[in-house]
Structure formats: structure tokens, C-alpha cells
Amino acid sequence: MRKPLIAGNWKMHNNLAETIELLNGLKRELLDFDGVDILACPTYTVLSDAKDILLDSNIKLGAQDLYWEEKGAFTGEISAAMIKDVGCEFVIIGHSERRKYFQETNDSVNKKLNAALTQELTPIVCVGETLAEREEDKTTEVIKDQLAQGLKDVTAENILKLVIAYEPVWAIGTGKTATPQQAQQIHKFIRDWLKDTYDFDTAEQVRILYGGSVKPSNIKDLMKEPDVDGGLVGGASLEVVSFSEIVKGSI
Ligand code: PGA
């Protein structure tokens, strides 16, 4: 069966001192807690320290983005190999904030996830519709395009190595969570797309996370849905108590 994954997306928060405090707090709270994969995705500047703190803990480390080229004159960019080198196992790809503020497209998502796979990093590929798209009844069309183009030419073998996150843009940072039924409807749509594109067994193994105002108070109901395999948590991942409660509430 699919093991739940709770991932914290710290975004552009937490300096080194705050990182040390948060990770040490999480280690204490979640010590010996298994049955769910736990992931923290801090900013690049603290990844190396985070790796040292998390050594021998049950909390894994991820980055929030990467650039697809291996190396070269790309000022300001960070490669998959560099992320791997600093101790990450996961990387978030195509977050809606990257798409909105940094002009990411389904094509760049595709290049980035391939670069991640080359370095044996687990990409968490984000998809999701805006409020306008939902209101125009285009949700499934948008998600289908994001999947078809973002995951273009990904083999069945590789699809098993990635995680998909459904994050309705209107629910991110707004306090407005999708209802468990709304989440399940799209998660099932994604799994059905995987079944059609690959096969039943493959689709059944891919983890699909929900993201968008996940909190201790809604994680249990979200996780009751058959196709919701975990959460990608922004705001509530920045505090020991709320993130630990989400992790504990997920099983
Ligand atoms: P949020 O963010 O939990 O603050 O809504 C989720 C995300 O952007 O991944």
C-alpha cells in the first residue's frame, strides 16, 4: 500500500537560527514516529545545516526547486546534482508560486523533473487550478494539460519514482481548504489519468498529496479519502506543534 507522506514546504521562511529550532523541535515531537514519511523542504541557504540536524532522524530533507541544466553559466541557479550533494532526497517541482511569479511552464516542469530523476531525487510535481479556472469549469482540463505536458515521456518505471501534489491555487495560503470530497474528486481524476496513461498497478502505487491550507483540524478528514496519500503543507509547517499534529493526524 501507499505510505502516507507529509511534506513541509517552508517557502521563503526561516533563517538558520529558526531552522535549527524548528527542526530540533520536530525531531523531539516526532521521534520514533513511523508509518508516515515526514519531509521538510527549507530554503537553499539552510539545507546543509538542516542535513546535519536531521542525520539519523526520521525526517527527510527536500529542496523547493532546481534548475535542469547540469552546470554552467546560469547565475543564481542550482542544479539537481547540487541538491543531491547537500543531502536532499526530494525536490518540489512546479509549485503554483513558481508558475505564477517565475513564469514556470509545464515544459520547464518536465525538464526539471527529468533532471531530478537523473540524480535519483524524488520530484514532488505540483498541479492545480486557479479560482477563475474552477469557476469556468475548467479544472479537469487544466489538470490534464499539466499532467500530459509536465509528465510528457516519463516512463512507467520513472512515474513510480515521483509524487504528485494536487494544490488548488485558490486554497493555498488562503485558509480555504478544498473539502475532502473536492480533493478526492481531483485525486481520483489524477489516478484515473495515470491508469489510462500507464496501467492500473502503476497508478495504484503513485502517491498523490493534497496541498492548500492543510491544518491539524482538517488532515484527518482529508486522509480518509481513498486517493489522498498525504499533504504538502505550507503555513502550518512553520510551527512544531501544528506540523507535528498534522503528521500524527495523517494515520
Ligand atoms: P499552505 O501552502 O499550506 O500555506 O496553503 C501549501 C503550499 O503552497 O504548498
Side-chain angles (χ1 to χ4, degrees):
M1 267 322 281
R2 301 182 296 269
K3 189 176 182 185
L5 167 64
I6 301 292
N9 173 12
W10 292 12
K11 310 192 179 183
M12 199 170 71
H13 292 286
N14 290 338
N15 61 21
L16 182 56
E18 290 160 340
T19 298
I20 294 169
E21 197 184 329
L22 177 51
L23 289 179
N24 280 329
L26 290 175
K27 268 174 41 171
R28 268 194 308 276
E29 275 298 317
L30 297 169
L31 188 74
D32 295 333
F33 195 83
D34 53 18
V36 35
D37 284 333
I38 310 165
L39 173 66
C41 300
T43 46
Y44 291 128
T45 51
V46 300
L47 285 175
S48 179
D49 294 275
K51 185 206 167 193
D52 293 342
I53 299 167
L54 296 179
L55 218 64
D56 300 325
S57 86
N58 53 350
I59 303 171
K60 298 171 196 290
L61 188 64
Q64 298 172 17
D65 186 27
L66 55 69
Y67 188 56
W68 61 78
E69 292 287 351
E70 273 176 44
K71 60 170 87 167
F74 303 102
T75 303
E77 294 299 326
I78 294 174
S79 72
M82 290 166 177
I83 284 168
K84 180 82 178 179
D85 183 51
V86 83
C88 290
E89 290 176 62
F90 287 76
V91 59
I92 299 170
I93 305 277
H95 189 278
S96 61
E97 287 150 16
R98 302 288 324 162
R99 295 178 190 254
K100 181 175 172 194
Y101 301 120
F102 305 98
Q103 293 76 48
E104 294 231 348
T105 61
N106 293 329
D107 182 49
S108 63
V109 166
N110 187 260
K111 288 181 180 146
K112 287 181 176 195
L113 78 86
N114 278 307
L117 290 169
T118 307
Q119 290 297 325
E120 294 177 355
L121 289 161
T122 301
I124 301 178
V125 179
C126 303
V127 297
E129 81 288 2
T130 62
L131 184 59
E133 288 161 345
R134 176 162 281 260
E135 284 173 351
E136 286 166 33
D137 218 7
K138 287 192 178 146
T139 300
T140 51
E141 193 186 314
V142 168
I143 307 280
K144 195 175 164 190
D145 281 352
Q146 290 172 336
L147 293 170
Q149 294 167 29
L151 304 180
K152 186 166 173 276
D153 296 335
V154 174
T155 62
E157 192 191 337
N158 278 338
I159 203 81
L160 294 172
K161 297 180 187 159
L162 59 78
V163 173
I164 296 173
Y166 168 56
E167 298 206 304
V169 179
W170 48 271
I172 295 178
T174 58
K176 250 200 223 171
T177 322
T179 64
Q181 294 70 31
Q182 282 172 322
Q184 168 59 20
Q185 188 199 1
I186 304 302
H187 281 232
K188 183 175 183 307
F189 175 82
I190 294 170
R191 202 170 307 283
D192 285 345
W193 181 88
L194 291 168
K195 282 176 189 164
D196 291 345
T197 309
Y198 299 93
D199 59 69
F200 183 89
D201 288 344
T202 303
E204 284 295 314
Q205 290 176 66
V206 177
R207 289 190 285 194
I208 308 174
L209 311 183
Y210 168 78
S213 299
V214 173
K215 310 177 255 246
S217 59
N218 58 29
I219 187 69
K220 276 200 169 64
D221 285 339
L222 286 162
M223 292 300 293
K224 278 185 197 147
E225 297 296 334
D227 290 298
V228 177
D229 305 315
L232 181 53
V233 187
S237 73
L238 298 173
E239 285 182 10
V240 173
V241 173
S242 51
F243 192 64
S244 305
E245 281 181 10
I246 291 170
V247 170
K248 290 175 185 169
S250 69
I251 48 171

